[in-house]
Amino acid sequence: MAYEMAWLHYHKISEKDFLKFLTAIHVEYEDSIIQSAAEEITSAVRDMFGIYLPYEKGESREGILLKLSKKDELGKEGYHIYPSGKAFVIEANSSSGILYGAFQMIRLLQCGYRAENMEEIKVPDNPLRMINHWDNMDGSIERGYSGKSFFFQDNEIIVDKRIKDYARLAASVGINGVVLNNVNVKNHATELISKKYFKQLKEIQRIFASYGIKLYLSLNFATPIELGNLNSADPLSTEVKNWWKDKLNEVYQELPGFGGFLIKADSEGRPGPFTYGRTHADGANMLAETIEPYGGIIIWRCFVYNCEQDWRDKKTDRARAGYDHFKPLDGTFAGNVILQIKNGPMDFQVREPVSPLFGGMKQTNQMLEVQIAQEYTGQQRHVCYLIPMFKEVLNFRTYCENNRDKVSDIVSGKTYGWTNCGMAAVANTGDDDNWFGHDLAAANFYGFGRLSFDTGLSSEKIAGEWIAMTFGTHPKVQKNIRDILMISWPAYENYTSPLGIGWMVNPHSHYGPNVDGYEYDRWGTYHRADHFGLGVDRSTKGTGYAAQYHNPNALNYETVENCPEELLLFFHYVKYTHRLTNGKTLIQHIYDAHFEGVEEVEVMLKMWIELIDYIEDSVYQRVLKRLEYQLEHSKEWRDIICSYFYRKSAIPDDKNREIF
Amino acid sequence: MAYEMAWLHYHKISEKDFLKFLTAIHVEYEDSIIQSAAEEITSAVRDMFGIYLPYEKGESREGILLKLSKKDELGKEGYHIYPSGKAFVIEANSSSGILYGAFQMIRLLQCGYRAENMEEIKVPDNPLRMINHWDNMDGSIERGYSGKSFFFQDNEIIVDKRIKDYARLAASVGINGVVLNNVNVKNHATELISKKYFKQLKEIQRIFASYGIKLYLSLNFATPIELGNLNSADPLSTEVKNWWKDKLNEVYQELPGFGGFLIKADSEGRPGPFTYGRTHADGANMLAETIEPYGGIIIWRCFVYNCEQDWRDKKTDRARAGYDHFKPLDGTFAGNVILQIKNGPMDFQVREPVSPLFGGMKQTNQMLEVQIAQEYTGQQRHVCYLIPMFKEVLNFRTYCENNRDKVSDIVSGKTYGWTNCGMAAVANTGDDDNWFGHDLAAANFYGFGRLSFDTGLSSEKIAGEWIAMTFGTHPKVQKNIRDILMISWPAYENYTSPLGIGWMVNPHSHYGPNVDGYEYDRWGTYHRADHFGLGVDRSTKGTGYAAQYHNPNALNYETVENCPEELLLFFHYVKYTHRLTNGKTLIQHIYDAHFEGVEEVEVMLKMWIELIDYIEDSVYQRVLKRLEYQLEHSKEWRDIICSYFYRKSAIPDDKNREIF
């Protein structure tokens, strides 16, 4: 095997009380998903206990029972697992539920649970739990930091064993939808919905389906022109509508059960309804109406802004763009359209406020888009465990209603009763042996899946599970790696861009540090640092962005005094001499945070080195190398940021550390 | 014809007194170069006068006579042209001299001279007058801004009509050597000296030779490893020497008359003698000894520096590197080795001091390398007529001797009696219809050739010639275009990086503005701007670079008071409040120069627009578009540089102009 199996590589366990169930797997009903569940259990039991478990059809009161039931409290995909006499029962209303229950049983075993503590009922919180791959058909991956695509190569689709193993990894953490190709759909990718590729897509769909995963594709809005030779893609044109009708008929003939499309339209140069003077709703609804008879959905991205801004223009504000574009359309989208909204209004920075579209639109299905590819958070060369960030987003109170107003309530459908909603993550996988470039980056894929399934899980709990599955349950291993993970996001924030200002990276590559990298550019991303201070005034005296929130958020963001300090520079231009709540000046905070960030990486490295005897050597060395690199690169960040602000402000460091 | 012929596209002229010579061309001796000369005259006379000139062998006293003579004062390549009764004589000691005389006769006619004023004796000042192409074998051109290579495509050599037309353009301005391929020799280019490519090289060499041009190639120092499968390229290894001996024997069997090699060794990642603990002299001399029996030369580049510098390190100075590396080797190089030295110690910035290697080494053949590709001077999207810059370099007094101490004296061989020396320019050509991307960029190719032939020509005189050849002699055309050209370099300097500090461009692309683009990078290129001032201290209190010059240059550069102001920030860290000789503060100079630079571009654009009725429309429009672009982009430079320094210094503009 040319690649490893991450958290599905099982460790031997010595839990004796579970042995009593290991007589056989009993299956009352059989389909490809249940077969997968049985297979997963069989191989896990073999690896964990060294026991080969026979597989039997029909009822039983002993062994591991996979049992379809009809219990309202288990919903569509929920499960109930429990020991019952000589049996361990995995019960659900659907095959998918059974598969998730099976993976949960395995997980609990790997985490060292005794059978008596293994009863659990869980219905997934989010209806849609998706991975968005930005894989290009030439095999490259946009913002990919762990090798090439394992879906595409030389404009062909790859169908090999790795597809199934990918499905296993995804399903094991509850993923039920995968978008195969990059949202920037060009050239060959436009042809994915043509004869040329149906055969292989069918095969991938079959493999995905046996793990409860629906296949989705990213769509080029201009397909009628590029593929259909029409001279328009106007969503209100009958010719265009008919073209799509025929096309979708063809797609569903070939790919019954196909999930639907993800669309980036009128964004960063991609075509869209604006070309024809139509709205996003016109564009999305036309496709939604056409796909509706097949049960498909249209996921429409809200990442729309002016990427030709003049840096001299201080009135235009990229942060405002999503809300300004989409809020007026609330209530006009079809029921099978979902707006997919990035967690923040900018673009996956280490710290952003939550997008005001959450809770801003009340009559439109929404989905939260996060990025586990660490585009702006170390590109999988730095450890940056993002689950705590996602937790903050999910727990953000929008005040759109009096209760159930958190982002997690909204995107899970609880607030407004939606069923087409959920969470999506931009993938961090590639064809590297370890799938994720950095071994510790696996925690973000694992964690995203688990969190989207169960938004109540804590970051520490998820980390603990993942460590147990990946490295085992030794207390030192658990503690040190959990500490490394939990330190990593705050540390990255400390040694990179301060207090929500973001960017400070190189254009295009998005790797830093480069303080002025985006300062005089056209992308709407400015820090406005001068001799006296820095930050962007987004209060009503500035761009007015803060007012896009409900109160009290809007009121809090409006003033320097009430603004959450971690977002201070996102919302306000602040002088270097301004005192923060801890009594430090802003400039001293910048210096201190950057030195602290590096010290935190030193701690992370030290904690990893302590694990030398507990981690398989090749993995130990791989991670060690990256942590050593991270330490050096965090110093580069520290020194450049500190030098930049020292040279600009001329205010020396209180502690007299070396600044260049 | 898919391309134009630049200054070899002749205009009709009405000069009656020359008609009397237009009876025939008489040739006493015939070879391929003289045939070229006759051909050039025939076609020029046809275009200019509408007369077809018969070609006759043998002596005559009428018509245009091409005459080989033996006169010491004409040297190897000089010519004497003069009217003599019913004959116009072009006399020289060599066929090349006759060719140059023929082109000069044509030039004078195009410039509107009467026959009686056309007597001229000129021996070229520089023995070697070379063009260095940085063309890659895949067809790309490193720092190419006018299309693809016309020498290479898809790793093959192109031999077509354009090769001859290129040779005509080059020979018409006196070029006698061309390096075909990029100094960064990799992959296929390493194989240029193998069977694979000899046939086409032979053909190119034949075409070049008929225009008096020798063919040279850039060489990969590691060729014995990459091509010969040796495991070393150690210049002192007998095996390596023998390999080269065989290889050069093969090369000269196939390409008799081949000029020699240009080598970039131990520079920016290219292999070289350092790998084996040998010196540059060891490396160059081994090749020189091997090529000597064939009359070839080895041109060794001095562009050697540490490109892995830590930006925090203020002691290491890239400017010092060339001198530090090569000065100690003075006197150790073979007679057929030439050191090729960039005009400045950095890398073709808009303003640099002259390299201290000129006059620093007295016993080593030297050649001046300039760049007509406008890598750092607008990339042929901006007009930047570089001949005035080259003139300043040539006229720079090194004080290496009491007289004949100028760079022009040194590289022409006058100071130390060298014969292997001269000038080389990095090419600005490509396969664009007009060869140079920007029509006005042609003046740099033309001007370089003319200047290397006759270093006494003024920039204005060269501009006037080129304008006459290209656009005609109308006074308004002459005046406006000459003014545009003469303003262009100072304007570019004004609106880009101030007072010799250089850089402020984007890494890799080298296009600006990006003030901090190279500030925190590894390339040894820093401005050190802070709240109080900017510049690099290269006095003896700083990096000591200034001391690499002879006095009084060293003494002048040493102090802020005596340093030539245009180089102030190259040699000194200076406060924004420092008063310049014109009474302005440094910061006010920065603001003013940047606003003035833009105003100068406005003037350039205005002067061009005045020519609408005098310039062929397609050319007029092409240049108009680029000048309009230049105006916009000069504003971008102005606003970013001014904003950067205003934000840093907090010192407002005296004139209250808008700074962002």
Side-chain angles (χ1 to χ4, degrees):
Chain A
M1 187 165 66
Y3 53 88
E4 301 156 21
M5 273 314 293
W7 58 86
L8 295 186
H9 173 79
Y10 302 115
H11 311 281
K12 284 243 171 311
I13 57 172
S14 48
E15 193 46 69
K16 295 285 178 272
D17 80 331
F18 204 81
L19 284 172
K20 61 175 176 277
F21 308 123
L22 300 181
T23 54
I25 302 181
H26 297 275
V27 177
E28 295 174 13
Y29 167 85
E30 219 178 14
D31 65 11
S32 71
I33 299 178
I34 289 178
Q35 275 167 2
S36 296
E39 237 179 59
E40 292 297 330
I41 296 167
T42 309
S43 72
V45 164
R46 187 194 58 216
D47 293 352
M48 294 190 291
F49 299 95
I51 289 173
Y52 177 74
L53 219 50
Y55 173 88
E56 290 175 15
K57 282 197 70 171
E59 290 188 37
S60 171
R61 296 183 158 218
E62 288 185 14
I64 296 177
L65 315 186
L66 309 188
K67 197 171 161 187
L68 270 184
S69 62
K70 285 189 180 173
K71 294 184 177 165
D72 281 355
E73 71 269 25
L74 297 186
K76 219 180 100 190
E77 297 175 296
Y79 56 78
H80 183 196
I81 58 177
Y82 54 98
S84 167
K86 290 184 173 173
F88 192 89
V89 183
I90 301 174
E91 192 175 352
N93 293 338
S94 66
S95 314
S96 297
I98 288 176
L99 180 67
Y100 299 139
F103 276 121
Q104 180 65 0
M105 178 194 80
I106 295 168
R107 187 155 36 232
L108 294 178
L109 284 167
Q110 282 282 285
C111 289
Y113 280 62
R114 293 175 54 82
E116 67 212 54
N117 299 325
M118 283 172 66
E119 168 147 17
E120 182 179 313
I121 292 179
K122 178 66 204 168
V123 182
D125 291 320
N126 288 293
L128 290 168
R129 305 173 300 279
M130 300 185 67
I131 298 289
N132 292 179
H133 288 273
W134 288 358
D135 291 28
N136 297 314
M137 295 208 56
D138 63 2
S140 65
I141 301 177
E142 185 161 332
R143 313 304 171 191
Y145 311 107
S146 33
K148 294 276 187 186
S149 173
F150 45 75
F151 293 126
F152 305 114
Q153 190 178 31
D154 298 337
N155 304 311
E156 294 295 338
I157 299 175
I158 305 169
V159 183
D160 64 9
K161 188 170 174 311
R162 195 154 186 164
I163 306 297
K164 180 176 170 181
D165 282 324
Y166 167 76
R168 295 177 58 216
L169 286 169
S172 77
V173 292
I175 297 301
N176 66 357
V178 167
V179 182
L180 218 57
N181 61 310
N182 188 359
V183 288
N184 292 314
V185 185
K186 295 173 194 173
N187 309 324
H188 290 273
T190 304
E191 298 176 59
L192 275 171
I193 49 168
S194 76
K195 273 200 196 69
K196 201 166 160 187
Y197 295 111
F198 284 138
K199 194 173 155 236
Q200 293 100 317
L201 284 178
K202 207 176 214 162
E203 190 53 21
I204 287 188
Q205 183 169 266
R206 189 190 61 73
I207 296 165
F208 279 7
S210 69
Y211 278 87
I213 297 168
K214 276 202 183 236
L215 174 70
Y216 296 78
L217 293 172
S218 291
L219 194 70
N220 178 348
F221 194 80
T223 307
I225 300 169
E226 295 181 30
L227 206 61
N229 288 318
L230 304 194
N231 46 31
S232 162
D234 181 353
L236 300 194
S237 141
T238 311
E239 195 187 21
V240 170
K241 279 194 247 185
N242 286 336
W243 188 87
W244 276 117
K245 205 175 268 183
D246 292 346
K247 175 50 74 180
L248 287 188
N249 184 43
E250 185 191 357
V251 167
Y252 276 91
Q253 288 283 342
E254 297 282 346
L255 305 170
F258 176 71
F261 296 110
L262 174 64
I263 297 147
K264 175 178 180 178
D266 290 313
S267 168
E268 299 183 328
R270 302 313 305 145
F274 284 179
T275 310
Y276 311 98
R278 312 303 182 192
T279 68
H280 285 285
D282 292 331
N285 290 343
M286 178 274 293
L287 290 166
E289 187 189 324
T290 318
I291 207 169
E292 202 277 329
Y294 308 101
I297 58 173
I298 297 298
I299 305 172
W300 196 268
R301 290 178 90 234
C302 289
F303 187 55
V304 176
Y305 68 99
N306 172 13
C307 64
E308 298 282 353
Q309 192 178 328
D310 188 334
W311 59 270
R312 300 167 187 83
D313 167 11
K314 291 185 180 172
K315 285 174 197 141
T316 305
D317 183 3
R318 170 167 168 178
R320 292 187 59 112
Y323 190 92
D324 284 345
H325 276 293
F326 285 93
K327 165 73 180 168
L329 301 175
D330 195 17
T332 66
F333 287 95
N336 61 332
V337 172
I338 305 176
L339 296 188
Q340 184 166 304
I341 303 161
K342 290 191 182 190
N343 59 279
M346 299 298 274
D347 191 18
F348 303 135
Q349 301 305 295
V350 68
R351 172 74 67 178
E352 291 187 45
V354 168
S355 169
L357 282 168
F358 294 114
M361 296 178 81
K362 303 183 179 191
Q363 302 165 269
T364 307
N365 300 321
Q366 296 186 334
M367 199 149 133
L368 168 65
E369 176 179 318
V370 296
Q371 193 192 42
I372 49 180
Q374 297 167 233
E375 180 175 353
Y376 295 94
T377 47
Q379 302 196 348
Q380 292 157 238
R381 285 178 265 181
H382 293 227
V383 186
C384 191
Y385 180 55
L386 294 167
I387 306 307
M389 183 209 282
F390 303 161
K391 288 287 293 182
E392 286 197 14
V393 172
L394 290 169
N395 287 331
F396 178 75
R397 289 199 62 185
T398 66
Y399 298 101
C400 61
E401 302 294 333
N402 288 328
N403 54 23
R404 299 218 278 206
D405 63 349
K406 291 195 223 163
V407 171
S408 61
D409 299 320
I410 294 167
V411 301
S412 64
K414 290 186 188 79
T415 311
Y416 297 112
W418 304 330
T419 51
N420 283 325
C421 53
M423 289 170 65
V426 179
N428 62 349
T429 51
D431 72 354
D432 278 359
D433 285 358
N434 67 355
W435 300 76
F436 304 98
H438 202 311
D439 286 86
L440 303 192
N444 284 325
F445 189 105
Y446 180 94
F448 168 76
R450 292 289 291 139
L451 190 63
S452 66
F453 199 89
D454 184 351
T455 55
L457 290 172
S458 72
S459 303
E460 293 83 352
K461 166 95 171 119
I462 291 172
E465 278 183 9
W466 172 77
I467 298 163
M469 302 282 287
T470 309
F471 299 108
T473 53
H474 190 287
K476 190 166 187 68
V477 170
Q478 279 280 328
K479 181 184 180 314
N480 283 24
I481 300 182
R482 198 172 51 232
D483 285 354
I484 289 171
L485 293 178
M486 292 305 296
I487 292 172
S488 63
W489 176 48
Y492 193 84
E493 184 175 18
N494 273 338
Y495 64 74
T496 62
S497 73
L499 301 181
I501 196 68
W503 307 94
M504 305 195 171
V505 293
N506 286 295
H508 312 303
S509 78
H510 295 172
Y511 202 60
N514 184 346
V515 183
D516 279 354
Y518 273 101
E519 186 58 12
Y520 301 99
D521 217 325
R522 62 188 175 87
W523 299 91
T525 49
Y526 313 110
H527 56 63
R528 310 291 190 196
D530 61 19
H531 172 60
F532 304 103
L534 83 155
V536 179
D537 186 353
R538 292 189 164 104
S539 74
T540 45
K541 278 167 284 158
T543 71
Y545 166 76
Q548 292 185 340
Y549 292 86
H550 297 286
N551 282 333
N553 290 333
L555 286 170
N556 287 338
Y557 293 149
E558 176 69 16
T559 63
V560 171
E561 293 65 39
N562 294 321
C563 184
E565 223 156 49
E566 70 275 13
L567 288 169
L568 189 60
L569 301 176
F570 190 92
F571 284 102
H572 298 281
Y573 172 87
V574 177
K575 292 202 168 167
Y576 298 122
T577 51
H578 170 80
R579 294 271 163 196
L580 301 178
T581 48
N582 61 10
K584 284 183 191 177
T585 60
L586 171 61
I587 188 75
Q588 193 58 41
H589 165 79
I590 292 176
Y591 297 147
D592 287 352
H594 282 77
F595 278 89
E596 282 161 23
V598 172
E599 285 157 21
E600 283 154 356
V601 180
E602 278 164 355
V603 170
M604 288 158 63
L605 176 59
K606 189 173 151 286
M607 286 192 292
W608 184 257
I609 290 171
E610 287 174 6
L611 301 180
I612 185 162
D613 296 330
Y614 302 89
I615 306 282
E616 198 265 301
D617 190 56
S618 66
V619 177
Y620 174 81
Q621 294 296 342
R622 279 199 306 232
V623 174
L624 180 67
K625 254 192 197 158
R626 294 204 180 213
L627 281 168
E628 285 169 346
Y629 166 83
Q630 181 174 1
L631 179 58
E632 281 317 297
H633 197 235
S634 68
K635 290 180 189 166
E636 193 71 5
W637 269 100
R638 175 194 68 195
D639 290 345
I640 290 179
I641 302 285
C642 289
S643 298
Y644 180 96
F645 285 104
Y646 172 63
R647 292 187 189 182
K648 212 151 201 164
S649 69
I651 301 173
D653 171 36
D654 275 354
K655 303 189 175 68
N656 270 317
R657 290 164 293 202
E658 191 173 18
I659 292 176
F660 300 88
Chain B
M1 189 163 66
Y3 53 88
E4 302 155 22
M5 273 314 293
W7 58 86
L8 296 185
H9 173 79
Y10 301 115
H11 311 282
K12 284 245 172 309
I13 58 172
S14 48
E15 194 46 69
K16 296 284 179 271
D17 79 330
F18 203 80
L19 285 171
K20 62 177 177 270
F21 308 124
L22 300 180
T23 53
I25 302 181
H26 297 274
V27 177
E28 294 175 12
Y29 166 83
E30 219 177 15
D31 65 11
S32 70
I33 299 178
I34 289 178
Q35 275 167 2
S36 297
E39 237 179 61
E40 292 297 330
I41 296 169
T42 309
S43 71
V45 164
R46 186 194 60 218
D47 292 354
M48 294 191 289
F49 298 96
I51 289 173
Y52 176 75
L53 220 50
Y55 173 89
E56 289 174 14
K57 283 197 68 172
E59 290 188 37
S60 170
R61 297 187 157 214
E62 287 185 16
I64 296 177
L65 314 186
L66 308 189
K67 198 171 159 186
L68 271 184
S69 61
K70 284 189 179 173
K71 294 184 176 164
D72 280 357
E73 70 269 27
L74 297 186
K76 218 178 101 193
E77 297 174 296
Y79 57 78
H80 182 196
I81 59 177
Y82 54 98
S84 167
K86 290 184 173 174
F88 192 89
V89 184
I90 300 174
E91 193 176 351
N93 293 337
S94 68
S95 317
S96 297
I98 289 176
L99 180 68
Y100 298 139
F103 275 120
Q104 180 65 0
M105 179 193 80
I106 296 168
R107 186 155 36 231
L108 294 178
L109 284 167
Q110 282 281 286
C111 289
Y113 280 62
R114 294 176 54 82
E116 65 209 58
N117 299 324
M118 284 173 64
E119 168 147 17
E120 182 179 313
I121 292 179
K122 178 65 205 169
V123 182
D125 291 321
N126 288 293
L128 290 168
R129 305 173 302 277
M130 299 184 69
I131 297 290
N132 292 180
H133 288 274
W134 288 358
D135 290 28
N136 298 313
M137 295 209 57
D138 63 2
S140 66
I141 301 177
E142 186 161 330
R143 313 305 171 192
Y145 311 106
S146 33
K148 294 277 185 181
S149 174
F150 45 75
F151 293 127
F152 305 114
Q153 190 178 30
D154 299 337
N155 303 312
E156 293 295 337
I157 299 174
I158 304 169
V159 183
D160 64 11
K161 187 169 176 310
R162 194 153 186 163
I163 306 297
K164 179 175 171 182
D165 282 325
Y166 167 77
R168 294 178 58 218
L169 287 169
S172 76
V173 291
I175 297 301
N176 67 357
V178 167
V179 182
L180 218 55
N181 61 309
N182 188 358
V183 288
N184 292 314
V185 186
K186 296 172 193 173
N187 309 324
H188 290 273
T190 304
E191 298 176 58
L192 274 172
I193 49 168
S194 76
K195 271 202 197 67
K196 202 167 159 186
Y197 295 111
F198 284 138
K199 193 171 156 241
Q200 292 99 316
L201 285 178
K202 206 177 215 162
E203 190 52 22
I204 287 188
Q205 182 168 265
R206 187 190 62 73
I207 296 165
F208 279 7
S210 70
Y211 277 86
I213 297 168
K214 275 201 183 237
L215 174 70
Y216 296 78
L217 292 173
S218 293
L219 194 69
N220 178 347
F221 195 81
T223 308
I225 299 169
E226 295 180 31
L227 206 61
N229 288 319
L230 304 193
N231 46 30
S232 161
D234 181 355
L236 301 193
S237 139
T238 310
E239 195 187 21
V240 170
K241 278 196 249 186
N242 286 337
W243 188 87
W244 276 117
K245 205 174 268 181
D246 292 345
K247 175 49 75 181
L248 286 188
N249 184 43
E250 185 191 357
V251 168
Y252 276 91
Q253 287 283 341
E254 297 282 345
L255 304 170
F258 176 72
F261 296 110
L262 174 64
I263 297 147
K264 175 178 180 177
D266 290 314
S267 168
E268 300 184 326
R270 302 312 305 146
F274 285 179
T275 311
Y276 311 98
R278 311 302 182 192
T279 68
H280 285 285
D282 293 332
N285 290 343
M286 177 275 291
L287 290 166
E289 187 188 326
T290 318
I291 207 169
E292 203 276 329
Y294 308 101
I297 58 174
I298 296 299
I299 305 172
W300 196 268
R301 290 178 91 234
C302 289
F303 187 56
V304 177
Y305 68 99
N306 172 13
C307 63
E308 297 282 352
Q309 192 179 327
D310 188 333
W311 59 270
R312 301 166 187 84
D313 167 11
K314 292 185 182 172
K315 286 176 196 139
T316 305
D317 182 2
R318 169 167 167 179
R320 291 187 59 111
Y323 190 93
D324 284 345
H325 275 292
F326 284 93
K327 165 73 179 167
L329 300 175
D330 195 18
T332 65
F333 287 94
N336 61 332
V337 172
I338 306 176
L339 296 188
Q340 184 166 305
I341 303 162
K342 290 191 182 189
N343 59 278
M346 299 298 274
D347 191 17
F348 303 134
Q349 301 304 295
V350 69
R351 173 73 67 178
E352 291 187 44
V354 168
S355 169
L357 281 169
F358 294 114
M361 296 178 81
K362 303 184 179 191
Q363 301 165 272
T364 307
N365 300 321
Q366 295 186 335
M367 200 147 130
L368 168 64
E369 176 179 316
V370 296
Q371 193 192 44
I372 49 180
Q374 297 167 231
E375 179 175 355
Y376 295 94
T377 48
Q379 302 195 349
Q380 292 157 239
R381 285 179 265 181
H382 293 227
V383 186
C384 192
Y385 179 55
L386 294 167
I387 306 307
M389 183 208 281
F390 303 161
K391 288 287 293 183
E392 285 196 15
V393 172
L394 289 169
N395 287 331
F396 179 74
R397 290 199 60 186
T398 67
Y399 299 101
C400 61
E401 302 294 333
N402 288 329
N403 55 23
R404 299 217 280 205
D405 62 350
K406 291 195 223 163
V407 171
S408 61
D409 298 320
I410 294 167
V411 300
S412 64
K414 291 186 187 76
T415 313
Y416 298 113
W418 304 331
T419 51
N420 283 326
C421 52
M423 290 170 66
V426 179
N428 62 348
T429 51
D431 73 354
D432 277 359
D433 285 357
N434 67 356
W435 300 76
F436 303 98
H438 202 311
D439 287 86
L440 302 192
N444 285 325
F445 189 104
Y446 180 94
F448 168 76
R450 292 290 290 139
L451 190 63
S452 66
F453 200 89
D454 184 351
T455 55
L457 290 172
S458 73
S459 303
E460 292 84 353
K461 166 94 170 119
I462 291 172
E465 279 184 7
W466 173 76
I467 298 162
M469 302 282 286
T470 309
F471 299 107
T473 52
H474 190 288
K476 189 164 187 69
V477 171
Q478 279 279 327
K479 181 184 180 314
N480 283 24
I481 301 182
R482 197 170 54 231
D483 285 354
I484 291 171
L485 293 178
M486 292 305 296
I487 292 172
S488 64
W489 176 48
Y492 193 85
E493 184 174 19
N494 273 338
Y495 64 75
T496 61
S497 73
L499 300 181
I501 196 68
W503 306 94
M504 305 194 172
V505 294
N506 286 294
H508 313 303
S509 78
H510 294 172
Y511 202 60
N514 184 345
V515 183
D516 279 353
Y518 273 102
E519 186 58 13
Y520 300 100
D521 217 326
R522 64 187 172 88
W523 299 92
T525 50
Y526 313 110
H527 56 64
R528 311 289 190 198
D530 61 19
H531 173 59
F532 302 104
L534 83 156
V536 179
D537 186 353
R538 291 189 163 105
S539 74
T540 46
K541 277 168 283 158
T543 72
Y545 166 76
Q548 290 185 341
Y549 291 86
H550 297 287
N551 280 335
N553 290 333
L555 286 171
N556 287 338
Y557 292 148
E558 176 69 15
T559 63
V560 171
E561 292 67 37
N562 293 322
C563 184
E565 223 156 50
E566 70 275 12
L567 288 169
L568 190 61
L569 301 177
F570 191 94
F571 283 103
H572 298 282
Y573 173 88
V574 177
K575 292 203 168 166
Y576 297 122
T577 51
H578 170 79
R579 293 272 165 196
L580 301 179
T581 48
N582 62 7
K584 286 183 191 178
T585 59
L586 171 60
I587 188 76
Q588 193 57 40
H589 165 79
I590 292 175
Y591 297 147
D592 287 351
H594 282 77
F595 279 89
E596 283 160 24
V598 172
E599 285 157 21
E600 284 154 355
V601 180
E602 279 164 355
V603 170
M604 288 159 64
L605 176 59
K606 190 173 151 286
M607 286 193 291
W608 184 257
I609 290 171
E610 287 174 6
L611 300 180
I612 184 163
D613 296 330
Y614 302 89
I615 306 281
E616 198 266 300
D617 189 59
S618 66
V619 176
Y620 174 81
Q621 295 295 343
R622 278 197 310 229
V623 173
L624 180 68
K625 255 192 197 157
R626 294 204 179 212
L627 281 168
E628 286 169 347
Y629 167 83
Q630 181 174 1
L631 179 58
E632 281 316 296
H633 197 234
S634 68
K635 289 179 190 167
E636 192 72 6
W637 269 100
R638 176 195 66 194
D639 290 345
I640 291 179
I641 301 285
C642 290
S643 298
Y644 181 95
F645 285 104
Y646 172 63
R647 292 186 189 184
K648 211 151 201 164
S649 69
I651 301 174
D653 171 35
D654 275 353
K655 304 190 176 69
N656 270 317
R657 290 164 293 201
E658 191 174 16
I659 292 175
F660 298 87

